[in-house]
Amino acid sequence: MSQQELENYAVSQAEETTQSVNNCLRIAEDIRQDATKTLETLHQQGEQIHRTHVMAANMDKDLSKGEKLLNNLGGMFSMPWKPKKTKEITGPVITPDDNHGKAKASKEQREKLGLGSGGEAKASRTSSAQPTTALQKVEVEKQKQDEGLDELSSILGDLKGMAVDMGTELDKQNKALDHLSEDVDELNARVKGANQRARKLLK
């Protein structure tokens, strides 16, 4: 191969490498967007669990009034009745998210790993002058690759932080669902007892 052919080959390989880096960058950005949507959905799901538990706590208050009324309806011709309560229904355990604290911790973690912080605009280091020689063209491609790899590291840092947040949110929701399930079971048992009391009074 002549020197010109070697130079053209080197430029071509550098351009292909830049294209590969850009393709990885596009894939990573798509993944980050999907992860962002997933995280938003998880937060909405957590809010729904919270609202449902608040409704259960309100039902407990209404049920307590009904149980008191059922007890008073018996009068002197009926045995005193007391609803069976195995636990107090306290409603959802409020654990507010510390978004600022989590964001700060995530940033520090990325810095320890040598990753850039996501969302920061990075100034292009590529010279605005048009390259003329093969060596200059290869150097321009290397600068593009470095910038692409820096951005890729930033996205990977964001994805790591999102993965941690997803795990934390899922753990919190699992505990919230367990607590909600216990309260719902308690309500169901008390409603069943109240229905039995009402049927006895109607006989």
Side-chain angles (χ1 to χ4, degrees), residues 7 129-137 140:
E7 290 177 350
Q130 290 295 325
T132 55
T133 66
L135 184 60
Q136 290 175 342
K137 292 178 180 179
V140 167

Side-chain angles (χ1 to χ4, degrees), residues 33-43 166:
Q33 291 178 1
D34 290 341
T36 300
K37 293 177 182 177
T38 301
L39 197 53
E40 290 174 354
T41 301
L42 280 175
H43 284 308
M166 287 180 193

Side-chain angles (χ1 to χ4, degrees), residues 60 63-64 67 82-88 186 190:
D60 171 59
L63 182 58
S64 294
E67 288 169 339
K82 186 176 182 181
K84 294 180 180 179
K85 294 184 179 181
T86 59
K87 68 184 295 292
E88 290 293 328
E186 172 69 10
R190 285 170 54 192

Side-chain angles (χ1 to χ4, degrees), residues 123-129 140-141 143-144 147:
S124 175
R125 298 189 297 269
T126 306
S127 173
S128 58
V140 167
E141 294 303 318
Q143 290 177 355
K144 291 179 181 178
E147 291 174 3

Side-chain angles (χ1 to χ4, degrees), residues 44-91:
Q44 292 172 359
Q45 180 175 289
E47 291 172 357
Q48 181 61 45
I49 294 172
H50 182 88
R51 288 193 296 269
T52 302
H53 209 161
V54 169
M55 291 174 60
N58 291 334
M59 287 176 60
D60 171 59
K61 296 177 182 177
D62 294 336
L63 182 58
S64 294
K65 294 178 182 177
E67 288 169 339
K68 185 176 181 180
L69 180 62
L70 284 172
N71 185 40
N72 293 335
L73 283 176
M76 61 186 301
F77 301 104
S78 176
M79 293 289 293
W81 175 79
K82 186 176 182 181
K84 294 180 180 179
K85 294 184 179 181
T86 59
K87 68 184 295 292
E88 290 293 328
I89 295 179
T90 58

Side-chain angles (χ1 to χ4, degrees), residues 43 46-47 94-102 165 168-169 172:
H43 284 308
E47 291 172 357
I94 301 175
T95 54
D97 292 328
D98 183 6
N99 293 324
H100 176 71
K102 288 195 295 185
D165 288 346
T168 301
E169 182 66 22
K172 186 172 70 174

Side-chain angles (χ1 to χ4, degrees), residues 67-199:
E67 288 169 339
K68 185 176 181 180
L69 180 62
L70 284 172
N71 185 40
N72 293 335
L73 283 176
M76 61 186 301
F77 301 104
S78 176
M79 293 289 293
W81 175 79
K82 186 176 182 181
K84 294 180 180 179
K85 294 184 179 181
T86 59
K87 68 184 295 292
E88 290 293 328
I89 295 179
T90 58
V93 178
I94 301 175
T95 54
D97 292 328
D98 183 6
N99 293 324
H100 176 71
K102 288 195 295 185
K104 182 178 179 181
S106 181
K107 180 180 179 181
E108 291 175 351
Q109 193 173 35
R110 289 199 296 269
E111 289 174 350
K112 288 180 180 178
L113 293 171
L115 302 175
S117 54
E120 294 180 356
K122 295 179 175 58
S124 175
R125 298 189 297 269
T126 306
S127 173
S128 58
Q130 290 295 325
T132 55
T133 66
L135 184 60
Q136 290 175 342
K137 292 178 180 179
V138 170
E139 185 61 31
V140 167
E141 294 303 318
K142 285 179 63 179
Q143 290 177 355
K144 291 179 181 178
Q145 293 163 21
D146 288 342
E147 291 174 3
L149 290 172
D150 285 346
E151 182 62 22
L152 184 59
S153 293
S154 174
I155 294 176
L156 291 175
D158 286 344
L159 289 175
K160 179 177 178 61
M162 290 179 183
V164 171
D165 288 346
M166 287 180 193
T168 301
E169 182 66 22
L170 285 171
D171 286 342
K172 186 172 70 174
Q173 289 185 20
N174 284 334
K175 293 177 182 177
L177 284 171
D178 288 342
H179 188 198
L180 174 59
S181 178
E182 291 173 359
D183 283 355
V184 169
D185 289 343
E186 172 69 10
L187 283 173
N188 285 335
R190 285 170 54 192
V191 167
K192 183 178 179 181
N195 287 336
Q196 292 175 345
R197 170 66 171 176
R199 283 194 294 268

